Amino acid sequence: MATIIVVTSGKGGVGKTTTSASVSTGLAKRGFKTAVIDFDVGLRNLDLIMGCERRVVYDFVNVIQSEASLKQALIRDKHCENLYILPASQTRDKDALTKEGVGQVLDQLRQDFDYIVCDSPAGIEQGAMMALYFADEAIIVTNPEVSSVRDSDRILGILQAKSQRAVNGSGRVKEHLLITRYSPRRVEAGEMLSVKDVQDLLGVPLIGVVPESESVLQASNSGVPVIHFDKSASGQAYDDVVSRFLGEQKPMRFLEPEKKSFIQRLFGT
């Protein structure tokens, strides 16, 4: 039976879809059969980041409403044979995601996959609530700034009170904290919360820190998850996240400012 992972946060623009794409890719690269689902009905960005937008024929809502089979809607990833994408609908309303319908799709996926990654939309509307309801584990994505951390704290409260596990009394959703767009230099300058600040505020085990990097935007524009950019700091950070998720011991990187060379210091670059 598959493990269901929700990638969530309260605030938009923190990197949930980037994280969903890279975590699901990392799991697939390690040999696990993985499905990643876009719950953001009406917007749909996951297929763009995965580079499969032109191959979308049927979507998540089509499957829920029995207009297409799951096999018809799943798109096989170009780079990983173990990875499949289930895109969201751009034309339907978010209320099309019903608890019964989502549950049936997840039950079908559980039979054939090792991991199911649910890419949650921001906030606490229908799509977000459906994404987190069925979760076994949650990756809470936050930027190191007060409003993002505050909104993530609210999502933690919802996970602990309104997930299926909480409702059924079958144990807590296992929570992981991922800090994105982290800049040690800005932390030093007092412009950004430190890793310790965020951990103290949320009280969730840290699974990784993804540094602020232009490679994330480059990867998104290329339709390739940034974890494939294995020379970049962000790609390496996401690879570390997947390793830690699977129980491997990895030291935390990208927490200290990069030391400048003599030439960089001389010319102020």
Side-chain angles (χ1 to χ4, degrees):
M1 292 286 282
T3 297
I4 298 177
I5 308 162
V6 63
V7 178
T8 184
S9 75
K11 197 174 188 320
V14 298
K16 289 184 297 298
T17 301
T18 295
T19 298
S20 297
S22 286
V23 168
S24 58
T25 296
L27 290 168
K29 286 173 69 177
R30 284 162 172 78
F32 296 101
K33 191 174 181 183
T34 305
V36 57
I37 307 174
D38 191 346
F39 276 76
D40 202 354
V41 174
L43 292 178
R44 199 173 85 188
N45 290 314
L46 179 65
D47 55 307
L48 292 171
I49 288 181
M50 302 296 290
C52 64
E53 69 277 8
R54 294 180 183 175
R55 291 195 277 158
V56 176
V57 178
Y58 295 109
D59 56 53
F60 193 11
V61 174
N62 290 138
V63 179
I64 288 173
Q65 297 186 347
S66 301
E67 296 164 351
S69 69
L70 184 58
K71 188 174 181 180
Q72 286 177 297
L74 283 171
I75 300 169
R76 192 170 186 171
D77 185 65
K78 298 175 184 177
H79 307 286
C80 300
E81 63 177 1
N82 291 320
L83 180 59
Y84 293 79
I85 301 101
L86 183 56
S89 171
Q90 281 186 310
T91 59
R92 306 294 181 93
D93 187 87
K94 296 180 189 296
D95 291 337
L97 297 182
T98 63
K99 195 173 289 184
E100 181 183 9
V102 172
Q104 288 174 352
V105 173
L106 292 176
D107 284 344
Q108 288 182 65
L109 288 168
R110 278 184 188 272
Q111 306 307 313
D112 296 319
F113 287 85
D114 299 306
Y115 289 101
I116 302 165
V117 178
C118 301
D119 180 27
S120 172
I124 53 172
E125 43 75 30
Q126 181 78 350
M129 297 301 288
M130 288 298 99
L132 67 80
Y133 179 77
F134 295 95
D136 299 309
E137 304 200 29
I139 298 176
I140 314 299
V141 184
T142 189
N143 292 159
E145 47 116 15
V146 173
S147 63
S148 180
V149 173
R150 180 195 61 197
D151 289 350
S152 292
D153 201 26
R154 187 175 185 193
I155 291 296
L156 286 167
I158 293 171
L159 273 168
Q160 293 163 12
K162 294 190 175 182
S163 66
Q164 186 178 49
R165 283 174 170 263
V167 171
N168 295 343
S170 54
R172 288 176 57 133
V173 174
K174 187 175 181 180
E175 299 157 351
H176 311 272
L177 173 63
L178 178 64
I179 301 175
T180 55
R181 296 181 179 169
Y182 191 74
S183 169
R185 293 196 182 281
R186 292 183 64 192
V187 171
E188 279 191 346
E191 299 171 356
M192 187 175 275
L193 297 174
S194 69
V195 169
K196 185 177 184 305
D197 291 334
V198 178
Q199 284 185 283
D200 288 347
L201 288 165
L202 295 179
V204 175
L206 183 68
I207 198 171
V209 176
V210 180
E212 205 166 39
S213 170
E214 290 183 4
S215 60
V216 173
L217 181 60
Q218 292 167 358
S220 297
N221 289 338
S222 304
V224 179
V226 73
I227 196 170
H228 286 299
F229 286 36
D230 53 10
K231 302 296 185 189
S232 73
S234 357
Q236 293 169 23
Y238 274 115
D239 194 68
D240 287 352
V241 166
V242 175
S243 296
R244 293 188 197 102
F245 182 84
L246 294 172
E248 299 174 34
Q249 297 297 315
K250 287 273 185 179
M252 287 289 170
R253 298 192 279 173
F254 315 113
L255 303 183
E256 302 296 331
E258 187 179 351
K259 292 182 179 178
K260 292 188 177 184
S261 67
F262 173 75
I263 298 297
Q264 287 175 316
R265 292 197 304 272
L266 184 64
F267 290 98
T269 59

PDB file of all heavy atoms in Angstrom, residues 57-69 73 89 92:
ATOM      1  N   VAL A  57      -4.618  15.242 -21.574  1.00  0.00           N
ATOM      2  CA  VAL A  57      -5.876  14.987 -22.284  1.00  0.00           C
ATOM      3  C   VAL A  57      -7.021  14.904 -21.272  1.00  0.00           C
ATOM      4  O   VAL A  57      -8.046  15.561 -21.419  1.00  0.00           O
ATOM      5  CB  VAL A  57      -5.793  13.684 -23.111  1.00  0.00           C
ATOM      6  CG1 VAL A  57      -7.141  13.411 -23.804  1.00  0.00           C
ATOM      7  CG2 VAL A  57      -4.663  13.768 -24.136  1.00  0.00           C
ATOM      8  N   TYR A  58      -6.823  14.107 -20.242  1.00  0.00           N
ATOM      9  CA  TYR A  58      -7.786  13.990 -19.149  1.00  0.00           C
ATOM     10  C   TYR A  58      -7.111  14.412 -17.847  1.00  0.00           C
ATOM     11  O   TYR A  58      -5.889  14.397 -17.743  1.00  0.00           O
ATOM     12  CB  TYR A  58      -8.304  12.549 -19.032  1.00  0.00           C
ATOM     13  CG  TYR A  58      -9.091  12.099 -20.237  1.00  0.00           C
ATOM     14  CD1 TYR A  58      -8.562  11.149 -21.111  1.00  0.00           C
ATOM     15  CD2 TYR A  58     -10.360  12.614 -20.503  1.00  0.00           C
ATOM     16  CE1 TYR A  58      -9.274  10.723 -22.222  1.00  0.00           C
ATOM     17  CE2 TYR A  58     -11.084  12.195 -21.615  1.00  0.00           C
ATOM     18  CZ  TYR A  58     -10.530  11.253 -22.470  1.00  0.00           C
ATOM     19  OH  TYR A  58     -11.247  10.853 -23.572  1.00  0.00           O
ATOM     20  N   ASP A  59      -7.935  14.777 -16.864  1.00  0.00           N
ATOM     21  CA  ASP A  59      -7.363  15.277 -15.617  1.00  0.00           C
ATOM     22  C   ASP A  59      -8.010  14.615 -14.401  1.00  0.00           C
ATOM     23  O   ASP A  59      -8.864  13.725 -14.533  1.00  0.00           O
ATOM     24  CB  ASP A  59      -7.505  16.809 -15.540  1.00  0.00           C
ATOM     25  CG  ASP A  59      -8.946  17.284 -15.687  1.00  0.00           C
ATOM     26  OD1 ASP A  59      -9.806  16.775 -14.934  1.00  0.00           O
ATOM     27  OD2 ASP A  59      -9.229  18.150 -16.556  1.00  0.00           O
ATOM     28  N   PHE A  60      -7.594  15.074 -13.226  1.00  0.00           N
ATOM     29  CA  PHE A  60      -8.048  14.541 -11.939  1.00  0.00           C
ATOM     30  C   PHE A  60      -9.580  14.569 -11.829  1.00  0.00           C
ATOM     31  O   PHE A  60     -10.207  13.586 -11.428  1.00  0.00           O
ATOM     32  CB  PHE A  60      -7.400  15.401 -10.848  1.00  0.00           C
ATOM     33  CG  PHE A  60      -7.481  14.861  -9.451  1.00  0.00           C
ATOM     34  CD1 PHE A  60      -7.905  13.569  -9.174  1.00  0.00           C
ATOM     35  CD2 PHE A  60      -7.101  15.676  -8.375  1.00  0.00           C
ATOM     36  CE1 PHE A  60      -7.952  13.088  -7.867  1.00  0.00           C
ATOM     37  CE2 PHE A  60      -7.147  15.211  -7.071  1.00  0.00           C
ATOM     38  CZ  PHE A  60      -7.585  13.920  -6.823  1.00  0.00           C
ATOM     39  N   VAL A  61     -10.186  15.678 -12.198  1.00  0.00           N
ATOM     40  CA  VAL A  61     -11.638  15.810 -12.089  1.00  0.00           C
ATOM     41  C   VAL A  61     -12.346  14.871 -13.067  1.00  0.00           C
ATOM     42  O   VAL A  61     -13.390  14.284 -12.733  1.00  0.00           O
ATOM     43  CB  VAL A  61     -12.085  17.272 -12.300  1.00  0.00           C
ATOM     44  CG1 VAL A  61     -13.604  17.385 -12.332  1.00  0.00           C
ATOM     45  CG2 VAL A  61     -11.514  18.166 -11.196  1.00  0.00           C
ATOM     46  N   ASN A  62     -11.803  14.684 -14.260  1.00  0.00           N
ATOM     47  CA  ASN A  62     -12.385  13.728 -15.211  1.00  0.00           C
ATOM     48  C   ASN A  62     -12.461  12.329 -14.597  1.00  0.00           C
ATOM     49  O   ASN A  62     -13.446  11.612 -14.790  1.00  0.00           O
ATOM     50  CB  ASN A  62     -11.546  13.650 -16.490  1.00  0.00           C
ATOM     51  CG  ASN A  62     -11.630  14.888 -17.351  1.00  0.00           C
ATOM     52  OD1 ASN A  62     -10.621  15.352 -17.882  1.00  0.00           O
ATOM     53  ND2 ASN A  62     -12.822  15.460 -17.495  1.00  0.00           N
ATOM     54  N   VAL A  63     -11.421  11.956 -13.860  1.00  0.00           N
ATOM     55  CA  VAL A  63     -11.400  10.632 -13.225  1.00  0.00           C
ATOM     56  C   VAL A  63     -12.434  10.565 -12.112  1.00  0.00           C
ATOM     57  O   VAL A  63     -13.191   9.597 -12.007  1.00  0.00           O
ATOM     58  CB  VAL A  63      -9.986  10.304 -12.685  1.00  0.00           C
ATOM     59  CG1 VAL A  63      -9.990   8.930 -12.003  1.00  0.00           C
ATOM     60  CG2 VAL A  63      -8.954  10.326 -13.809  1.00  0.00           C
ATOM     61  N   ILE A  64     -12.486  11.589 -11.268  1.00  0.00           N
ATOM     62  CA  ILE A  64     -13.458  11.621 -10.162  1.00  0.00           C
ATOM     63  C   ILE A  64     -14.885  11.512 -10.686  1.00  0.00           C
ATOM     64  O   ILE A  64     -15.723  10.805 -10.110  1.00  0.00           O
ATOM     65  CB  ILE A  64     -13.275  12.912  -9.331  1.00  0.00           C
ATOM     66  CG1 ILE A  64     -11.986  12.835  -8.513  1.00  0.00           C
ATOM     67  CG2 ILE A  64     -14.470  13.158  -8.411  1.00  0.00           C
ATOM     68  CD1 ILE A  64     -11.631  14.116  -7.786  1.00  0.00           C
ATOM     69  N   GLN A  65     -15.169  12.176 -11.803  1.00  0.00           N
ATOM     70  CA  GLN A  65     -16.533  12.197 -12.343  1.00  0.00           C
ATOM     71  C   GLN A  65     -16.789  11.095 -13.378  1.00  0.00           C
ATOM     72  O   GLN A  65     -17.765  11.130 -14.124  1.00  0.00           O
ATOM     73  CB  GLN A  65     -16.813  13.578 -12.939  1.00  0.00           C
ATOM     74  CG  GLN A  65     -16.753  14.671 -11.868  1.00  0.00           C
ATOM     75  CD  GLN A  65     -17.170  16.038 -12.362  1.00  0.00           C
ATOM     76  OE1 GLN A  65     -17.295  16.278 -13.560  1.00  0.00           O
ATOM     77  NE2 GLN A  65     -17.395  16.959 -11.425  1.00  0.00           N
ATOM     78  N   SER A  66     -15.881  10.107 -13.407  1.00  0.00           N
ATOM     79  CA  SER A  66     -16.026   8.924 -14.276  1.00  0.00           C
ATOM     80  C   SER A  66     -16.116   9.276 -15.754  1.00  0.00           C
ATOM     81  O   SER A  66     -16.765   8.579 -16.544  1.00  0.00           O
ATOM     82  CB  SER A  66     -17.253   8.094 -13.855  1.00  0.00           C
ATOM     83  OG  SER A  66     -17.125   7.675 -12.517  1.00  0.00           O
ATOM     84  N   GLU A  67     -15.455  10.371 -16.148  1.00  0.00           N
ATOM     85  CA  GLU A  67     -15.398  10.757 -17.560  1.00  0.00           C
ATOM     86  C   GLU A  67     -14.164  10.167 -18.245  1.00  0.00           C
ATOM     87  O   GLU A  67     -14.033  10.238 -19.466  1.00  0.00           O
ATOM     88  CB  GLU A  67     -15.362  12.290 -17.662  1.00  0.00           C
ATOM     89  CG  GLU A  67     -16.631  12.944 -17.120  1.00  0.00           C
ATOM     90  CD  GLU A  67     -16.474  14.437 -16.856  1.00  0.00           C
ATOM     91  OE1 GLU A  67     -15.339  14.952 -16.929  1.00  0.00           O
ATOM     92  OE2 GLU A  67     -17.488  15.085 -16.550  1.00  0.00           O
ATOM     93  N   ALA A  68     -13.264   9.616 -17.444  1.00  0.00           N
ATOM     94  CA  ALA A  68     -12.056   8.958 -17.959  1.00  0.00           C
ATOM     95  C   ALA A  68     -11.541   8.020 -16.883  1.00  0.00           C
ATOM     96  O   ALA A  68     -11.820   8.205 -15.689  1.00  0.00           O
ATOM     97  CB  ALA A  68     -10.982   9.988 -18.310  1.00  0.00           C
ATOM     98  N   SER A  69     -10.816   7.009 -17.286  1.00  0.00           N
ATOM     99  CA  SER A  69     -10.217   6.098 -16.308  1.00  0.00           C
ATOM    100  C   SER A  69      -8.925   6.702 -15.769  1.00  0.00           C
ATOM    101  O   SER A  69      -8.334   7.605 -16.382  1.00  0.00           O
ATOM    102  CB  SER A  69      -9.922   4.747 -16.958  1.00  0.00           C
ATOM    103  OG  SER A  69      -8.861   4.888 -17.907  1.00  0.00           O
ATOM    104  N   ALA A  73      -5.825   9.102 -17.618  1.00  0.00           N
ATOM    105  CA  ALA A  73      -5.439  10.436 -17.147  1.00  0.00           C
ATOM    106  C   ALA A  73      -3.987  10.527 -16.694  1.00  0.00           C
ATOM    107  O   ALA A  73      -3.367  11.594 -16.782  1.00  0.00           O
ATOM    108  CB  ALA A  73      -6.357  10.858 -16.000  1.00  0.00           C
ATOM    109  N   SER A  89      -7.600  20.017 -13.257  1.00  0.00           N
ATOM    110  CA  SER A  89      -8.418  20.631 -14.302  1.00  0.00           C
ATOM    111  C   SER A  89      -8.247  22.146 -14.272  1.00  0.00           C
ATOM    112  O   SER A  89      -8.158  22.747 -13.207  1.00  0.00           O
ATOM    113  CB  SER A  89      -9.887  20.278 -14.088  1.00  0.00           C
ATOM    114  OG  SER A  89     -10.703  21.024 -14.964  1.00  0.00           O
ATOM    115  N   ARG A  92     -12.644  23.444 -14.296  1.00  0.00           N
ATOM    116  CA  ARG A  92     -13.663  23.085 -13.311  1.00  0.00           C
ATOM    117  C   ARG A  92     -13.534  23.929 -12.049  1.00  0.00           C
ATOM    118  O   ARG A  92     -12.530  24.583 -11.807  1.00  0.00           O
ATOM    119  CB  ARG A  92     -13.557  21.596 -12.943  1.00  0.00           C
ATOM    120  CG  ARG A  92     -13.596  20.647 -14.128  1.00  0.00           C
ATOM    121  CD  ARG A  92     -14.936  20.667 -14.851  1.00  0.00           C
ATOM    122  NE  ARG A  92     -14.941  19.734 -15.964  1.00  0.00           N
ATOM    123  CZ  ARG A  92     -15.373  18.489 -15.875  1.00  0.00           C
ATOM    124  NH1 ARG A  92     -15.867  18.028 -14.739  1.00  0.00           N
ATOM    125  NH2 ARG A  92     -15.328  17.693 -16.926  1.00  0.00           N
TER     126      ARG A  92
END
